[in-house]
Amino acid sequence: MEDRRPESTEENLGTIVSVRGSVIDVRFPDRLPARHSLLLTGEHHDVVIEVQGHLSWDMARGIALTPARGTAQGAVVLDTGRPLMTPVGRGCLGRMFNVFGKTIDGGKPPEDVEWTSVHCEPVPLSERATTSEVFLTGIKAIDVLMPLELGGKAGLFGGAGVGKTVLITELIHHMVGHHEGISIFCGIGERCREGEELYREMRDAGVLGNTIMVFGQMNEPPGARFRVGHAALTMAEYFRDRAKQDVLLLIDNIFRFIQAGSEVSGLMGQIPSRLGYQPTMATELAGLEERISNTRTGAITSIQAVYVPADDFTDPAAVHTFGHLSASIVLSRKKAGEGLYPAIDPLQSSSKMLSPLIVGERHYRTAQEVRRTLATYEELKDIIAMLGIEELSEEDRKAVYRARRLERFLTQPFFTTEHFTGMEGRAVGLADALQGCERILNDEFSDAPEKALYMIGRVDEARMT
């Protein structure tokens, strides 16, 4: 790790008084270090402690950000006089970092970077953009039915194997190619297997060059997992505020951030709140989420994977997370099983941006009609399974045929899966996507086979034979 000793020749030294797991109490006879300061101990200064609070005029309590093996009472502790810092700048692109800003991809340390504290204040309201603008992804299902907000936060819900990673890499590809922006992937509590697979997939898809990856792995102490989101956000803020670029910030998984905070809170001896969560959960989550915003010069748009404990949407972690989201994208295993990719469930997904005042009357009306048609089909599926489609009224049959064609039109070949599927990727503009939905709703393709609309871009690509 980087040497973070203070430039002053006077070293502020302390002595360890007690060690309880990751919680370490240190006495400083001369000068008490500030909250969030980093302390170093161990034979090679390889044990890093972050000050969490003050117990008295000469006693500080901290949480170890690295394994605390080898620490003991009486060991000497060095106050660096600095908070946790992370590298920012273009030299970080294409690299993978841990919470300390150290590269973990086997390459050399990055060049041409600056080191910045991970503890930053959110952008003041006076400097934020006050207009609501849609962040176009080039993915038909998202842009038509659940548009994302530029500078907003969207939740991505889905289990293993339903296409979360593929959707993430496609969004990164579109960000690089169409918005000329930067993508940052933040893995909070990731398994090392997941991080390594994602790194290889992004490299093979050709999107790694404009991407930064930051990981706090599952086997790391809770203090490190709790701070990795702040480190990734600090990198994103550099590109938004100083490079004047748009940034796509992908977080997997925001629940693990709350979980790490709960572990830190328990270690610090705080009395737990409802269902065992930390009493400061709302403040900690808001401190992270409120830094994600858009300004007049750039925007940080965030897509966050969200785990809902025991599928209980009244869980405090889920309730507080939903309060910050402007859109929800739900991936369905049933859709994936039917080969309908991206496997987005349009009836469970939603967006606050889908309002006629923001997207316009035509877009709103088309999206509502698509939802209504798909909902009708969902209601009729049981009848079709038991009695057959011939038993439906003519109007219901037409609605079913429309819905099945809409389902297939909302599939799309991705650029990042070309080498798997052999199908050329498509990015579809909002106007083309809306036109395709309108033409299907108007029964212009009632004579075309359903497969003609499967895995195409614009509706004009449909093969009518």
Side-chain angles (χ1 to χ4, degrees), residues 4 34-39 48-52 63 65 80-88 99-100 115-123 223-224 226-235 237 257 264 283-284 287-288 291:
R4 299 186 180 84
R35 190 165 177 264
H36 294 153
S37 288
L38 285 192
L39 313 177
V48 185
I49 306 163
E50 185 182 60
V51 176
Q52 294 287 327
I63 287 281
L65 304 186
T80 64
R82 303 177 187 175
L84 181 64
M85 303 184 84
T86 193
V88 297
V99 70
F100 300 108
W115 288 81
T116 306
S117 168
V118 303
H119 302 283
C120 302
E121 292 297 318
V123 175
F226 187 57
R227 289 293 176 222
V228 72
H230 298 90
L233 252 174
T234 303
M235 293 180 179
E237 286 167 340
F257 168 77
V264 170
T283 308
E284 291 165 356
L288 185 76
R291 288 170 63 180

Side-chain angles (χ1 to χ4, degrees), residues 406-421:
L406 282 169
E407 280 185 337
R408 280 144 186 79
F409 176 64
L410 292 175
T411 62
Q412 190 169 335
F414 284 168
F415 290 97
T416 52
T417 56
E418 283 181 7
H419 52 295
F420 294 122
T421 62

Side-chain angles (χ1 to χ4, degrees), residues 205-450:
V207 299
L208 192 60
N210 276 57
T211 305
I212 301 170
M213 303 178 76
V214 190
F215 283 98
Q217 291 172 204
M218 191 173 275
N219 64 327
E220 293 184 33
R225 285 181 272 123
F226 187 57
R227 289 293 176 222
V228 72
H230 298 90
L233 252 174
T234 303
M235 293 180 179
E237 286 167 340
Y238 168 86
F239 288 102
R240 179 192 65 189
D241 300 334
R242 292 169 63 181
K244 313 295 185 190
Q245 286 182 281
D246 287 342
V247 183
L248 180 63
L249 176 64
L250 302 134
I251 300 176
D252 187 10
N253 186 306
I254 198 66
F255 174 75
R256 294 197 193 116
F257 168 77
I258 295 172
Q259 205 171 36
S262 181
E263 290 179 53
V264 170
S265 174
L267 288 167
M268 293 296 292
Q270 294 179 352
I271 298 172
S273 181
R274 187 167 158 239
L275 294 185
Y277 287 107
Q278 65 271 39
T280 53
M281 177 177 65
T283 308
E284 291 165 356
L285 185 62
L288 185 76
E289 298 278 12
E290 287 304 300
R291 288 170 63 180
I292 302 169
S293 63
N294 57 343
T295 66
R296 297 180 185 93
T297 55
I300 300 174
T301 303
S302 176
I303 297 176
Q304 306 169 6
V306 182
Y307 168 70
V308 180
D311 291 335
D312 179 13
F313 284 83
T314 64
D315 187 273
V319 170
H320 285 289
T321 302
F322 292 145
H324 293 279
L325 301 178
S326 56
S328 300
I329 303 170
V330 179
L331 298 180
S332 160
R333 193 171 301 282
K334 188 178 176 185
K335 296 275 183 190
E338 293 172 2
L340 301 173
Y341 290 101
I344 295 169
D345 188 331
L347 300 180
Q348 291 192 55
S349 306
S350 63
S351 171
K352 294 176 183 174
M353 297 294 285
L354 195 60
S355 159
L357 296 174
I358 297 172
V359 298
E361 191 65 44
R362 177 200 173 200
H363 184 168
Y364 176 76
R365 191 172 60 249
T366 303
Q368 292 299 96
E369 189 58 38
V370 168
R371 280 180 184 277
R372 196 177 298 114
T373 304
L374 294 174
T376 301
Y377 177 39
E378 195 65 32
E379 290 169 4
L380 294 171
K381 276 184 178 178
D382 288 342
I383 298 174
I384 295 169
M386 288 187 291
L387 304 176
I389 197 167
E390 295 80 12
E391 296 300 315
L392 298 179
S393 67
E394 186 178 349
E395 190 58 41
D396 283 346
R397 274 204 303 273
K398 283 184 179 179
V400 168
Y401 293 141
R402 276 187 221 116
R404 290 180 62 85
R405 283 167 174 77
L406 282 169
E407 280 185 337
R408 280 144 186 79
F409 176 64
L410 292 175
T411 62
Q412 190 169 335
F414 284 168
F415 290 97
T416 52
T417 56
E418 283 181 7
H419 52 295
F420 294 122
T421 62
M423 289 186 282
E424 186 182 349
R426 298 279 194 279
V428 183
L430 178 60
D432 291 328
L434 288 173
Q435 184 191 44
C437 291
E438 287 171 343
R439 290 177 67 183
I440 293 169
L441 290 168
N442 291 333
D443 290 334
E444 287 188 36
F445 292 87
S446 57
D447 296 330
E450 291 174 2

